[in-house]
Amino acid sequence: MNAHQPSSSSPTASTPAVKFDALLARVLDSNAFYRRKYDAAGIALDSRPNLANLAHLPYTTKEELAKDQAEHPPFGSNLTHSVDRYSRMHQTSGTTGIPLRWLDTPESWEWWLSCWRRIYAAAGVTRQDRIFVAFSFGPFIGFWTAFEAGQSLGAMMLAGGGLTSVQRLETLLANAATVLVCTPTYALRLAQVASNAGLDITGSSVRLTIHAGEPGASIPSVRARLESAWGARCIDHAGATEVGAWGHGCSEPNHLHVIEDEFIPEVIDSNTQLPVSASEGVQAGELVLTNLGRVGSPVIRYRTGDLVELVRAPCPCGLDTVFLKGGVLGRADNMIIVRGVNVYPSVLEDLVRGFDEVGEFEVELQAQREMSEIVIRIEIGSTGGESIAQRLSDSIHQRLNVRARVDPVAPGTLPRHEMKARRYVIRSRG
Ligand SMILES: [Zn+2]
């Protein structure tokens, strides 16, 4: 399947405008959450706003959805149909709050799968591939959709749930998997485990790794480390439980395309909440997404909290959809401004991962009104930790013109992450 073609689940050549109008009509008819929200915002429920009026609709936030779910347990009121029409329940990881439950109908689940097939197409995955999914297959939506989409392509799917890391590696090698799907952090951890266990993965049949769950595969030094550890090409993918699988990498190493016929991207200033205008062709700010194919539980103008630099220009890979330069640059609530400099988590990660000696790491952002301080803890197994810490601190100063304190710590000291890594700790000082 070519990435330019519409997905197999939407045989009509429906444009985003047509899909949006159809979505709004359904939602305004029978979705209690949006009916209440838009009514409160003074939007006449029989006015049928169309895509041209998108900017007049209020944003939707995760906090708002969580509050709605608390008030309308257990699933909340963002349901366009009666509950018996829904066939899947998943929930967010809940590491930053109470897990949010999300329901899908068979149709919206199939829409998810069609988006994942686009990611596979962009990555060059075919039915000839054997795809190993290193994922626990619990209530978190994670790679359930990757698994089923691969199956629907006709590829051989290998489930990696309920296994230790060594067992996962052995399963992957014994079955001659060609594609690995997992978070970038976990792919690096598997590579470390393989090295400790004397398992050869660079010489294995894995030719491609696909990563999601957190930024990483679009960060140059992380990408370089992934590709060298696995001896395979890596491709980034972005998605969210509430939104769907909305983006994928391409042949340009740091471009992440938005699947524009299924998602409407906007970029706003997180503080003013106003749209950001382009500067030299780039819109920098928080990504806002509307999904068009999840009619049963949609997000309309959803504030993702992801910081991006969106480019509306042709990409050398040939795709004509907008792309994000450097993928997702970090979370809006993890970015700090140190002496007027925006410090993106992805830039710090790029610098840390530039040092091969560093294993896991953690960034603590100590923020207070006048001064912010960055403290980075790095795990180093070899000797010379102090010297590496100094060199990292120097490279941060060179690139960002800010000072960071870097503390070497012993291997195994910092938390390990299978799904979304939480490496950024923000502390407010008095
Ligand atoms: Zn591209």
Side-chain angles (χ1 to χ4, degrees):
M1 189 166 81
N2 185 296
H4 289 276
Q5 292 169 348
S7 62
S8 55
S9 70
S10 44
T12 52
S14 229
T15 64
V18 170
K19 289 181 189 174
F20 181 79
D21 291 356
L23 170 71
L24 254 278
R26 294 298 305 276
V27 163
L28 289 177
D29 250 4
S30 57
N31 185 300
F33 174 80
Y34 284 104
R35 281 179 61 87
R36 228 175 14 249
K37 179 178 169 65
Y38 292 164
D39 192 38
I43 294 161
L45 296 179
D46 57 2
S47 65
R48 295 284 182 263
N50 57 32
L51 191 51
N53 311 123
L54 182 68
H56 300 300
L57 298 176
Y59 300 116
T60 305
T61 65
K62 190 166 189 175
E63 293 69 35
E64 199 182 357
L65 292 162
K67 182 166 172 279
D68 172 66
Q69 229 159 63
E71 288 169 359
H72 304 92
F75 305 120
S77 64
N78 180 14
L79 301 174
T80 310
H81 315 290
S82 59
V83 173
D84 61 0
R85 283 276 289 106
Y86 295 81
S87 53
R88 304 277 311 210
M89 191 291 292
H90 289 279
Q91 62 188 45
T92 61
S93 48
T95 37
T96 54
I98 298 164
L100 197 59
R101 295 188 184 87
W102 213 275
L103 299 188
D104 278 291
T105 61
E107 295 79 15
S108 63
W109 190 254
E110 175 48 35
W111 169 82
W112 257 100
L113 304 191
S114 76
C115 294
W116 249 101
R117 285 192 292 269
R118 301 279 287 274
I119 293 153
Y120 282 137
V125 172
T126 70
R127 62 179 304 278
Q128 306 301 329
D129 279 300
R130 294 182 193 173
I131 307 175
F132 184 82
V133 185
F135 172 61
S136 61
F137 295 96
F140 182 47
I141 206 162
F143 296 111
W144 278 101
T145 43
F147 194 89
E148 292 190 21
Q151 182 183 328
S152 73
L153 270 183
M156 183 190 289
M157 301 308 297
L158 306 165
L163 301 174
T164 64
S165 293
V166 170
Q167 289 169 331
R168 281 177 169 158
L169 286 161
E170 287 168 349
T171 307
L172 176 150
L173 293 170
N175 292 287
T178 56
V179 178
L180 167 68
V181 177
C182 65
T183 66
T185 299
Y186 193 64
L188 289 175
R189 174 147 154 242
L190 277 179
Q192 186 60 49
V193 170
S195 159
N196 295 346
L199 296 169
D200 176 23
I201 52 170
T202 49
S204 75
S205 45
V206 174
R207 64 178 184 86
L208 174 74
T209 64
I210 303 179
H211 303 292
E214 59 190 24
S218 291
I219 299 173
S221 64
V222 178
R223 183 186 185 84
R225 201 183 259 218
L226 284 164
E227 294 195 330
S228 106
W230 282 91
R233 182 183 159 225
C234 93
I235 189 162
D236 198 5
H237 147 58
T241 309
E242 313 89 289
V243 183
W246 56 262
H248 59 77
C250 68
S251 55
E252 289 297 301
N254 65 341
H255 288 183
L256 186 80
H257 287 270
V258 178
I259 302 176
E260 265 189 294
D261 49 0
E262 300 298 347
F263 301 88
I264 300 171
E266 298 172 81
V267 181
I268 65 166
D269 180 313
S270 295
N271 297 317
T272 65
Q273 304 193 20
L274 293 171
V276 170
S277 49
S279 163
E280 296 179 3
V282 177
Q283 282 177 281
E286 180 183 344
L287 181 67
V288 170
L289 287 171
T290 297
N291 57 14
L292 298 169
R294 210 178 187 183
V295 178
S297 50
V299 285
I300 301 173
R301 302 199 88 202
Y302 184 63
R303 292 187 58 177
T304 62
D306 290 333
L307 294 172
V308 299
E309 292 185 354
L310 185 141
V311 181
R312 294 182 191 274
C315 176
C317 78
L319 277 180
D320 56 5
T321 60
V322 301
F323 62 87
L324 310 178
K325 217 167 62 171
V328 172
L329 300 172
R331 302 283 305 164
D333 45 11
N334 280 349
M335 193 186 74
I336 55 164
I337 299 173
V338 183
R339 289 193 298 160
V341 179
N342 287 355
V343 179
Y344 289 119
S346 63
V347 174
L348 287 176
E349 181 159 1
D350 189 25
L351 292 166
V352 173
R353 292 295 192 202
F355 290 83
D356 285 343
E357 302 89 338
V358 178
E360 193 49 74
F361 72 97
E362 183 176 79
V363 178
E364 184 178 321
L365 307 170
Q366 299 182 340
Q368 66 175 31
R369 200 164 298 163
E370 292 86 16
M371 280 279 285
S372 293
E373 197 188 351
I374 304 171
V375 179
I376 302 180
R377 284 178 279 278
I378 52 174
E379 284 188 1
I380 297 189
S382 56
T383 52
E386 290 297 338
S387 136
I388 292 163
Q390 186 59 51
R391 279 160 52 212
L392 173 58
S393 175
D394 291 346
S395 72
I396 290 169
H397 185 239
Q398 253 174 25
R399 173 118 159 231
L400 300 170
N401 199 28
V402 299
R403 293 279 176 200
R405 195 179 93 209
V406 183
D407 296 334
V409 299
T413 314
L414 299 174
R416 292 296 190 266
H417 314 271
E418 181 180 333
M419 284 311 295
K420 288 179 190 295
R422 301 284 169 191
R423 295 201 179 89
Y424 297 88
V425 184
I426 300 204
R427 295 221 163 82
S428 297
R429 294 181 300 169

